Amino acid sequence: MQTIQEQGLTNQFFAPAGTAVVNAKFGRQCHKLPDDDWIRMGIRRVLGDVRSGREFLQEWNLEEGKEIGVVNFFDTASSARRLRLVGEVNEAVASAMPQHAHSNFSDYDDFGKFEIYAGDGHYIGTSSHEKPIQGKKRPCGHFYALNLRTHAMTHLSASDLQEGKKKSEHDMHALKRLGGKALRQGAAKGTKVLYAWDPAGIDTKQWGKWKSQYGVYFLSRAKENMGFIEEGKSEWDCGDPVNSGVVSDKRVTTLTGRVLLRWIVYQDPKSAETYEFITNEMTIRPGLLAWTYKCRWHVEKTYDTFKNKLGQTKAWGKSQESKKMQARFICLAHNLMILLEADIGVDDEKENLRATKRYESADIQAKRRGAKFAPQYYNPRKRTQIAAKFIRWLRHCLAFNLSVTEAIRSLQRVYAIF
């Protein structure tokens, strides 16, 4: 039996998805294009540096030596069954992902009974075959959630543009359309779910309903025009190191509704800029909530990876199935890369050093002001996205099916040089 080091990196990379396909309830026997091959094709299309579906299909046939016809390949892009399958596979992979090495949420008991997500919308261009609506092509939008513990990416929904009548869908409209049960994303009974969302996700009355009915909580920046009625101060420890930078933590209601909220004011130790947060979560220490919202930036950096490193700048097709399928394949490719990076255990010391220097520089600036960062902000290994050099290395390994041993040596060289 081969050891892991002797096996091909290709098999190791695709293994979590392959296991999920075997156990999938939406899997079927298909001799022309088996589900396992089709899942691999979708992931490779995300990772491939190609401009069109036909270009990808030609490369796949040349590299794999398998004759997949154009019609057969593009028909699967509109298959409702295959759409459900890739969603099921990604859910299985995402739910099994361990805590990410660059995440330190588990260091704090406050988050012990929570799943923590950063959510946002993301728009890309339409496919070449999309028909204009009133002379214009509408962008293709999706809503995603990034698990801040594991860095697993999940696709919540495609934006509803009402057959092109709307240019975009408001975040809260999409979240209401999804509903509280879907927002739990399969969280176990007794586990609460906290979303860090930008102000487009604010609807305090709806927040109250989701909290009471589904255990789903929200955290956001307060809007400038929001008015609050103070209902009392929270009991928080200003001497607790994790609360460094917190100015106040009050219980409030809005002028338009009687939903009880927390209004947290935080001053950044480096810039002295003041931030205001609102949430319907009442137990987590205010400094940790301010830090959680800062971590929401990770989802924005992940979108940067999708666009600028994976080249996913326009939709694969014009059907709703193909658009959703692309989004789910992007999430699956991202999650498999996160797992592979952890499995092979090759650290990028140059990036770690850069991260440490960034923190040290910020810390020096804070001390000049007589302020200090809370301990949760310090993680010398913290990186917010997959490096481009890792993605280029992975493409090379998959194209030449390097063994794990060869692949690790080549990645070590890449990190040493670049």
Side-chain angles (χ1 to χ4, degrees), residues 220-362:
S220 187
R221 291 275 300 276
K223 295 179 180 179
E224 291 183 1
N225 61 348
M226 293 186 77
F228 298 115
I229 301 173
E230 290 192 29
E231 303 289 348
K233 295 181 179 179
S234 301
E235 293 184 4
W236 62 284
D237 184 0
C238 60
D240 186 342
V242 303
N243 291 327
S244 295
V246 175
V247 177
S248 63
D249 180 10
K250 299 177 181 179
R251 297 289 195 271
V252 298
T253 54
T254 63
L255 297 175
T256 56
R258 302 300 295 172
V259 178
L260 188 64
L261 301 168
R262 286 173 78 181
W263 175 29
I264 299 169
V265 179
Y266 173 83
Q267 187 176 58
D268 181 77
K270 174 185 173 182
S271 65
E273 188 172 351
T274 299
Y275 298 92
E276 297 181 12
F277 304 103
I278 59 167
T279 182
N280 58 347
E281 203 296 309
M282 302 294 174
T283 64
I284 298 172
R285 285 173 284 181
L288 292 177
L289 286 172
W291 170 66
T292 298
Y293 192 84
K294 180 178 176 62
C295 291
R296 196 199 72 82
W297 183 245
H298 294 184
V299 75
E300 303 287 356
K301 299 300 288 185
T302 303
Y303 292 157
D304 181 72
T305 296
F306 292 174
K307 179 181 177 181
N308 295 315
K309 297 175 183 176
L310 297 175
Q312 298 300 311
T313 58
K314 69 175 186 177
W316 287 354
K318 61 183 180 180
S319 70
Q320 284 301 306
E321 289 82 4
S322 66
K323 293 174 182 178
K324 294 176 183 177
M325 199 175 286
Q326 178 186 9
R328 294 174 187 181
F329 268 126
I330 292 172
C331 290
L332 181 54
H334 170 273
N335 294 340
L336 292 177
M337 285 192 285
I338 293 291
L339 283 171
L340 181 66
E341 193 173 30
D343 286 345
I344 61 177
V346 179
D347 216 357
D348 189 345
E349 294 300 337
K350 287 187 176 181
E351 287 298 328
N352 290 343
L353 182 60
R354 293 185 186 105
T356 301
K357 287 183 175 179
R358 285 194 295 269
Y359 171 80
E360 290 175 347
S361 175

Side-chain angles (χ1 to χ4, degrees), residues 145-158:
L146 179 72
N147 187 311
L148 292 177
R149 289 184 190 272
T150 66
H151 288 200
M153 198 74 166
T154 50
H155 177 240
L156 296 176
S157 176

Side-chain angles (χ1 to χ4, degrees), residues 60-117:
W60 171 269
N61 281 321
L62 290 172
E63 288 183 11
E64 300 292 325
K66 298 179 180 180
E67 296 183 3
I68 306 297
V70 174
V71 174
N72 188 21
F73 174 67
F74 285 105
D75 279 350
T76 62
S78 297
S79 167
R81 197 271 300 181
R82 302 247 193 188
L83 172 62
R84 291 192 291 268
L85 174 63
V86 67
E88 184 182 6
V89 169
N90 187 59
E91 288 172 10
V93 170
S95 64
M97 289 173 67
Q99 175 166 304
H100 194 273
H102 300 164
S103 171
N104 48 336
F105 276 87
S106 293
D107 294 345
Y108 301 95
D109 293 339
D110 305 57
F111 300 112
K113 295 183 179 180
F114 282 88
E115 291 287 356
I116 312 109
Y117 292 98

Side-chain angles (χ1 to χ4, degrees), residues 179-182 184 191-193 209-216:
K181 184 177 180 180
R184 285 192 60 80
T191 299
K192 302 173 184 178
V193 178
K209 293 177 182 177
W210 282 333
K211 174 182 175 178
S212 62
Q213 295 176 12
Y214 299 102
V216 174

Side-chain angles (χ1 to χ4, degrees), residues 152-193:
M153 198 74 166
T154 50
H155 177 240
L156 296 176
S157 176
S159 59
D160 180 10
L161 304 185
Q162 298 182 5
E163 298 182 348
K165 296 176 183 177
K166 297 176 65 177
K167 294 181 179 179
S168 62
E169 182 180 19
H170 193 275
D171 293 32
M172 182 46 69
H173 185 273
L175 293 173
K176 288 180 178 179
R177 182 166 51 79
L178 274 168
K181 184 177 180 180
L183 289 173
R184 285 192 60 80
Q185 297 198 65
K189 186 177 180 180
T191 299
K192 302 173 184 178
V193 178

